[in-house]
């Protein structure tokens, strides 16, 4: 796992190969692994910053979307968070969230972030200062909880 490269780009800056690898990683994790057919292409990619780690062959190992205030929530937000099968067990998920939070603080000048977390990851996100809200729901038949970091 040497030579991992972290990248952050707006939609307009992405190459077609980078976009392909991101969507492939999202489908592999959310649709195939989690057995959850859902409309991944939701018209929000164009409004997001895309943060990811890739290996030398450009395969995405960890990925998320970052949104400014007023796009998904009143606050900034992070979504489509994943670590691919090849990226797991290497602390890439922790690095990903740390980089995402730092990006929000540096680019959007706020530490307020709202996320929709799969319930099995609540403890993971709480390690970054996220606190559970009362909003719990099923999204695509997977239990989620809205979390907020101030």
């Amino acid at each position: 796992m040497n030579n991992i490269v972290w990248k952050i780009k707006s939609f307009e800056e992405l190459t077609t190969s980078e976009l392909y690898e991101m969507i492939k990683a999202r489908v592999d994790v959310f649709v195939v692994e989690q057995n959850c057919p859902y409309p991944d292409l939701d018209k929000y990619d164009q409004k997001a910053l895309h943060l990811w780690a890739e290996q030398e062959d450009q395969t995405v190992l960890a990925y998320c979307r970052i949104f400014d205030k007023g796009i998904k929530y009143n606050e900034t937000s992070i979504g489509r968070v994943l670590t691919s099968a090849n990226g797991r067990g290497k602390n890439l998920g922790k690095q990903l969230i740390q980089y995402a939070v730092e990006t929000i603080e540096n680019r959007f000048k706020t530490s307020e972030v709202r996320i929709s977390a799969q319930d099995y990851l609540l403890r993971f996100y709480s390690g970054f200062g996220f606190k559970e809200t009362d909003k719990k729901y099923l999204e695509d038949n997977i239990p989620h909880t809205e979390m907020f970091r101030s």
Side-chain angles (χ1 to χ4, degrees):
M1 268 298 144
N2 300 336
N3 303 323
I4 293 173
V5 177
W6 286 92
K7 294 184 177 182
I8 185 164
K9 292 186 177 185
S10 69
F11 185 79
E12 294 75 25
E13 295 170 317
L14 296 172
T15 67
T16 52
S17 295
E18 289 168 337
L19 181 61
Y20 174 87
E21 290 298 331
M22 285 173 200
I23 293 170
K24 181 180 184 327
R26 288 173 8 190
V27 169
D28 287 349
V29 172
F30 299 125
V31 178
V32 178
E33 286 182 20
Q34 295 183 354
N35 193 25
C36 183
Y38 76 106
D40 181 55
L41 300 177
D42 59 2
K43 300 229 183 237
Y44 281 105
D45 285 315
Q46 296 89 327
K47 300 173 184 174
L49 285 176
H50 301 268
L51 171 64
W52 75 100
E54 66 181 27
Q55 53 192 17
E56 284 182 58
D57 66 358
Q58 280 80 46
T59 302
V60 172
L61 299 172
Y63 169 86
C64 72
R65 300 191 301 193
I66 300 169
F67 295 99
D68 200 354
K69 300 172 197 159
I71 296 175
K72 298 284 278 186
Y73 300 101
N74 289 333
E75 305 83 9
T76 62
S77 62
I78 303 167
R80 294 287 199 271
V81 177
L82 69 84
T83 303
S84 69
N86 288 343
R88 293 186 191 132
K90 298 164 183 63
N91 284 319
L92 293 176
K94 288 181 181 175
Q95 288 179 51
L96 178 71
I97 299 303
Q98 187 61 48
Y99 291 157
V101 167
E102 289 172 8
T103 297
I104 287 169
E105 290 172 345
N106 292 326
R107 291 198 187 197
F108 303 131
K109 306 300 182 209
T110 184
S111 57
E112 291 187 340
V113 185
R114 192 169 298 273
I115 62 173
S116 173
Q118 292 185 6
D119 282 0
Y120 81 95
L121 291 167
L122 295 176
R123 201 172 95 222
F124 171 78
Y125 288 115
S126 68
F128 297 94
F130 287 93
K131 304 219 180 311
E132 294 181 44
T133 68
D134 292 337
K135 190 170 180 188
K136 295 185 175 290
Y137 48 92
L138 280 179
E139 185 173 313
D140 301 313
N141 221 20
I142 297 172
H144 282 70
T145 299
E146 195 172 281
M147 299 184 84
F148 183 71
R149 179 183 188 274
S150 56

